[in-house]
Amino acid sequence: MKLLSSCKYLCLAACLTFICPGCKKFLEVDPPKTQLVSTEVFKTDEGANAAVLGIYSAMSSGSTALSNGALTVYQGLAADELVGFSSDKETLQFYNNKLLTNNSIVTANWNKTYQILLQTNICIEGMTASTGLSAAVKKRLIAETRVCRALQNFYLINLWGAVPLVTTSDWNQNKQLLRTPVDAVYALITQDLEEAAANLSSSYPDEERLHPNKYAALALLARVYLYRGMWDKAEAAANQVIVSGLYTPLPALSEVFLKNNTEAIWQLQPINSQYQDTYEGSVFIPAYPGANPQYYLTDHILEAFEQNDQRKTDWINSTVFQNHTYYYPYKYKIGYQATDQPEYYTVLRAAETYLIRAEARAQQNNIAGATEDLSVVRERAGLNPITLPGKEQMLDAISHERQVEFFAEWGHRWFDLIRTGKADAVLAGVKSNWSSTAKLLPVPQSNINFNNQLTQNPGY
Amino acid sequence: MQNYALKKGMGWRCQPKKIPLIMKVVIIIISVFLLQSSAVFAQQLTYQKKQASLEEVFKEIRKQTGFNVFYSDNKINDQQKLDVDFKNAGIKTVLEKCLPPFSLEYTIDHKNIIIKAKPAKGTTSLADTNIVNIHATVTNELRIPLAGVTVRARYKAFSAMVVTNDGGEFHLDVDKRASIIFSYVGYVTREIQLVPSTAEMLKLIQLEPDNAKLDEVQVIAYGVTTKRLTTGNISTVTADEIARQPAANILQALQGRVPGLALTQLTGYMSGNYNVTIRGANNLPVSKGNNLPLGRVVSDPLFVVDGIPLTIGSNDPNGYGMDQNGLLGPAEGQSPLAWINPSDIESISVLKDADATAIYGSRAANGVVLITTKAPKTGKAQLDVSTYTGLSLQTKKLPLLNTTQYLAMRREAFKNDGVEPDADMAYDLLSWDNNRYTDWQKKLLNTATTNDLQLGLTGGNLATSFRINGSYHRETPPFPGKFAEDRITTALTLNHSEFNQKLKFSLMVNLSGNNSNLPQSDPTSLIFLAPNAPQLYNAAGKLNYAEYLTGQFPAQIAALERPYRSDTKNLASNLNINYTVIEGLKISIAAGYNLGIQNQTQLIPGASQDPLGTINRQAIFGDNNVKTWLVEPTVNWSYSLKAGTIEAMAGATFQNSVVDGNLITGNGYLSDQLLESRAAAATFNNAVSNYAQTKVQSVFARLSYNLYNKYIVTVNARRDGSSRFGPGNQFGNFGSLGAAWIFSEEEAVKKFLPMLSFGKLRGSYGITGGDALGDYSYLSLLGIGYNTYQGQPVFVPTQAANPNYKWTVNKKLDISVDLGFLNDRLTLSASFYRNRSGNQLVNYPLVAITGYPSVVNNLGASVQNKGWEFSLSSRNIAGKAFSWTTAANFSMTRNKLLAFPGLETSSYVNVFTIGQPISRTELFHYTGMDPATGHYMIADKDNDGVISYQKDQNYYNSMPSFTGGIDNNLQFGNFSLQFFFVFTKQMGMENTFNINPGAPNTNQTTAVLNRWQKPGDQAAITGFSNFYREDIDYFLQSDALWVNASYVRLQNASLSYRISGLKGKTKYFPNTTISLQGQNLVTFSPYKGTDPANPTTALVLPPRRIVSAKVQFIF
């Protein structure tokens, strides 16, 4: 009897066993404990802020990014500023202006820039859709993100020409994108910066200058207008920054790259694993006294400095290696020794804004105004003001001033040579294999491999 | 979709915890057992019936007490009835009341009641004179008693059955004219006719091991079968074959033994990983990032150890084994099977076709490997001690330049370059001793050691038996320094049965600890140091930074002082309970738990850093955990229908796996001594955390019908649910149909083909699936970034979401024929298979402009693997004194991309071509040397004047044309010799060339001596130069280096001598076996690189040659 009843239980158990898969609850899993679903992130001010900080962090940390030293080093090599000490073949490709389409540095810079753009698009979409954010934070963070997006897009088109323009985080939509004309990319850059300038306040959210404020948007906008030859707008934007009074007077040369110095309009906190501060500092300053420099300055740039230019003594240092003196950039003065971070990457600084306004004024034949702006920068370097008779001489002087003010800094020299049309003339003189097509970097082959429709730049 | 996930997450937190349904089921099943036990364990009988027959009483005794009742039908008068009325009466009481009226008496032996006729006093009936009492011992061929042997006596309708006790003894009263049949798993069933046998012959009965492969037990999914009756394609490797190899990893022991199983040992490290594919790669490669070519092809089979599937899923497509945090060490990750002691393994079944694998449903697309640990042996406790010590040797030495040749090469480079040697570029010429010569291969890859110790005890009786085994295995890599890897394992198996084997418990617990202490990166490539390079260490025993320029000190030398340590603990436990409800109906429940914990440290002591630079002592800490539990209730039912048997099995799976990984770097230590302390770090950074939970819930069933042992049909079905998929896509159905026709059973075949002792035609078709790709891929996720910013944690995108992906579907077809000749002395199997893997679930590589490296996605692509497999086994000579057996296998697989709608617009547009293999390498075509410059010339395929990776490369099939193995076993008295060759025909990349010959501090093979020297020369190698050129890059990725990498390898050989144990009063000597064993002994190959078996990778420590001496004692 008992056996029979046992059998019943068994059958019941068996039945239950097989019914069970009908209920799908078992398959519910804990959400991943180390990550958050994206909609969850943008529900709170803290989450949105952390996502925007993620953009800055990406710009300054990890593998090579344009904004954490790559522009300085690689465009410095490509222009007439730097020589690499080692015979690393990929670095040499920059120096020789003979980049291969699989150059891993080019690829990494391109990839990282688009990763940052993805972050900006996720943030803009997430914050725009969110209803949980406080209005002020939402407005500020969206505007900051737009400045970041504009900066990435600005460097993309200036390095590669027409590039695919991403405006969404949807991979399915982005994966087939083709090149967007430079004008269309500039349109978005201008729109981003104008809206950001309108929505950002003139103060920084904290005591540091790590979040772009209204003037960061304007300073970048001024640069965009300058590059586009829209002199009046460039002057107007630069003017707003200068008259704000926040960034003047220019501090001493030795302070320009310290964190939170008065000239800094927007800085990035260096994020590195190895007790180094900025990448520039760690890569230019020899590892120990007597060590070889990894990169050193060309005679070409050394000769460009005028007599008594204090930038040559304050921003350049030298080392003797095997009886040969090498000069290296010394704008960032901290190599590996830092126990804290006295220096920050300086994205935008007021000297540039002065020189933008000077150039815009000169282009509009306001030579006196240009001279005034030029003098601000020259005076800080211990040089006398110069008076020049005409527009062309003035433009040449500004161009020269930019060369010595911004040497080995964010690729300014490279971009200036190209935008002013002097690249072929200047670089053909110093580089043995210069070809005009080297002004644009190759689109990384890996990208073309994914999409046959994506065209390569000429010459590659 | 995202909303759903959100709700789900909330729901999980807000709901009160309920007892999961699965727990309820378990509770119910266990209660049923307990209920039963309380009713019957008392060995008492409650039975009331008028006019009951004696048989009915016996039946009731069996039911209620679990005792067996043996009796002879013809001795019981079934006409005679009696009234019974027992209430909780003891067995003896019942028997003593019931038997006398029938003139019967009884004896109780263990749980057997034997009923016999009461001898009539003073009279001798004819019948009684025929009864003899047999008392004998059953042993194996080594005269070790066998417990649990079934002994049946058969005479006309009379049948009695007993089983041998712990000492192998049994008592049986039988009719003289009967024959006695002895049967025991793994031994040939023996039948002895009593009549001609003498008493002496009946004292000791020896059983011979069953070497007939056809009836050998093969482990299959949720059961066992035999090669004779299976409808699926299964290859089994046994403990014997494993024991002959001094292999640390069971995968190494499988190499070449299973047709269709391709195994590549990736490194020579003990814990190192293997690439495993069964019947070709089914999946398009996993993306490694944005750089094509893509990463590895993930076609790993499902590994199941004692019924518990191993969780080796990883979030990181480059992660291997249990590693979840990306800290892989020099061995590039740890093999997920590194924790298993090969000596604990009884058999490994490789399930290949749909019939064998479909019951594993969604995880079976790439085949299944079932690993079964050794079961206890009943009988007298047997102590097994064995140990081996071996040398691990370099298999192949590259012919590198000596100092004179090297320096001449360097001088010629400067001459060619037109550059004056200076201290910067020519430090090897100017600063280093030009007379110094170091054979770096000898220095770095010299002899190392391997040691193994096994200690096992097994024994028990029919009711309770056990096996315990402890082992220690240690291998050292050959590099200078105190590096070693070791493994300690303990294994326990406990079996217990109740109610005359009706209720069985089995518990397996395996605990294993693996320690690796290795340099942080593989130092093997240091063999290319200049032969006059400074010693690695200076006189003070410190790293020799001083003789190198800043930044030129090779990182791999520094790595020798930067240890990578991993300490892995693995607990695998499995409880099985099964209960035979009635004859033919069995229910069982398996519950398994697997816990893996790995702690890693990677240290960068100050002593390993350039003393002139800034010292930052650093330590990286990694932790990985893998936890899996599994509950599988199953019901088995077998039933005789007409002349056939129906076997049905159904069950359910509930599985929960959690994997997590953490990584953090500590900086700013004050002392090298403190590096292993997390507390001593000044700051931490680079933190990584990974977590994933996966649940699987399935129901499955198998139904097979065997008619006349001639026609067999099997149907498998599984409905699988997996949490790896997004809502709505979690469930999938899989199944197979298999059939076999044993035509040798047909009368016509028997008559006309008497040579053919066995012939079977079998085929199967079915659908299996694959879900082996990351977790939570349906969610758009942001994770914590690698670094803080302004002191705050930041969010960064970690995963592109795709809510729509579904299972990979793999359709498998298999047709095989199995033949046995001359009483199965020669058996032959041939299989044809065709697997089509469609709806490919891949980590779809995304173009970099999306910002994501990849997204989990399905492709319309269909990959076909098609091939033939043959295996043969032959007992060439089967004498008592000398025997010789041969086993051979041969397989060939062809794979191709069958279809790929939308290939033109997909990320794979430049990678795959429809109709071409997916296992392939892209290479330039080398057209020769420009005699004027000595530069390499590459074919400009599209004639656009530019060499481009995109347009000018051709594809070369990297899949072997065929592979196979031949194993020979010779037995000569107490000597046995076994040797096993494997062979492969394939092409591969020669990886012996370094960048530009002539580069500073970079040695080359002597092949570079055939170089271009002056305009007009035609040579194989370009002129020496300090400088790198594009054409060298192209050359190194060209078909100039695409060479024949075929090989024949003496994979394994063993010679052993057995000394039979002596047991005397004065001396005692255990059964002893002494062996010499070798692994990876000799390789014949035209290939010039280090290891033809892995002719693609960059230079890593190649698999080592192991030569060992082993001694085994069985007490």
Side-chain angles (χ1 to χ4, degrees), chain B residues 912-943:
Chain B
F912 299 115
T913 315
I914 290 166
Q916 295 291 316
I918 61 162
S919 312
R920 59 187 193 161
T921 307
E922 305 94 290
L923 299 170
F924 291 107
H925 175 55
Y926 175 60
T927 55
M929 178 170 287
D930 180 347
T933 58
H935 292 192
Y936 297 120
M937 294 189 296
I938 300 298
D940 180 13
K941 202 167 134 194
D942 61 347
N943 290 316

Side-chain angles (χ1 to χ4, degrees), chain A residues 30 35 40 176 322 449, chain B residues 6 12 424 693 798 905 910:
Chain A
D30 291 346
Q35 303 175 77
E40 198 77 14
Q176 290 299 329
Q322 296 182 339
N449 285 345
Chain B
L6 214 66
W12 209 213
D424 285 358
Q693 181 181 27
T798 41
T905 54
N910 293 300

Side-chain angles (χ1 to χ4, degrees), chain B residues 832-891:
Chain B
F832 168 78
Y833 64 88
R834 196 198 68 199
N835 296 344
R836 286 180 171 172
S837 179
N839 199 34
Q840 290 263 323
L841 182 60
V842 296
N843 224 353
Y844 183 76
L846 286 173
V847 61
I849 57 176
T850 61
Y852 291 112
S854 61
V855 64
V856 172
N857 202 1
N858 291 106
L859 300 177
S862 168
V863 175
Q864 173 177 287
N865 279 286
K866 192 166 84 168
W868 289 90
E869 291 166 3
F870 301 92
S871 55
L872 174 151
S873 85
S874 156
R875 278 178 282 152
N876 307 329
I877 295 168
K880 279 262 174 206
F882 180 62
S883 70
W884 174 26
T885 61
T886 301
N889 72 75
F890 178 87
S891 51

Side-chain angles (χ1 to χ4, degrees), chain B residues 528 989-994 1087 1089-1091 1094-1099:
Chain B
F528 291 120
M989 280 304 273
E990 189 175 330
N991 56 10
T992 54
F993 289 95
N994 272 304
Y1087 185 69
T1090 49
D1091 181 21
N1094 192 13
T1096 48
T1097 54
L1099 193 66

Side-chain angles (χ1 to χ4, degrees), chain B residues 617-675:
Chain B
R617 298 183 183 87
Q618 219 180 42
I620 304 172
F621 300 95
D623 301 298
N624 292 295
N625 296 296
V626 176
K627 280 172 275 187
T628 301
W629 62 252
L630 171 94
V631 176
E632 275 185 336
T634 47
V635 179
N636 277 276
W637 180 62
S638 72
Y639 181 72
S640 295
L641 182 72
K642 307 251 166 98
T645 323
I646 293 183
E647 304 259 1
M649 189 274 296
T653 297
F654 301 87
Q655 187 187 333
N656 180 23
S657 303
V658 176
V659 293
D660 66 76
N662 287 290
L663 189 74
I664 197 161
T665 304
N667 293 288
Y669 285 87
L670 296 174
S671 158
D672 287 354
Q673 303 269 306
L674 297 172
L675 283 179

Side-chain angles (χ1 to χ4, degrees), chain B residues 440-453:
Chain B
W440 291 112
Q441 295 190 81
K442 197 173 165 192
K443 190 110 189 165
L444 290 157
L445 303 178
N446 210 351
T447 308
T449 58
T450 186
N451 294 292
D452 190 273
L453 174 68

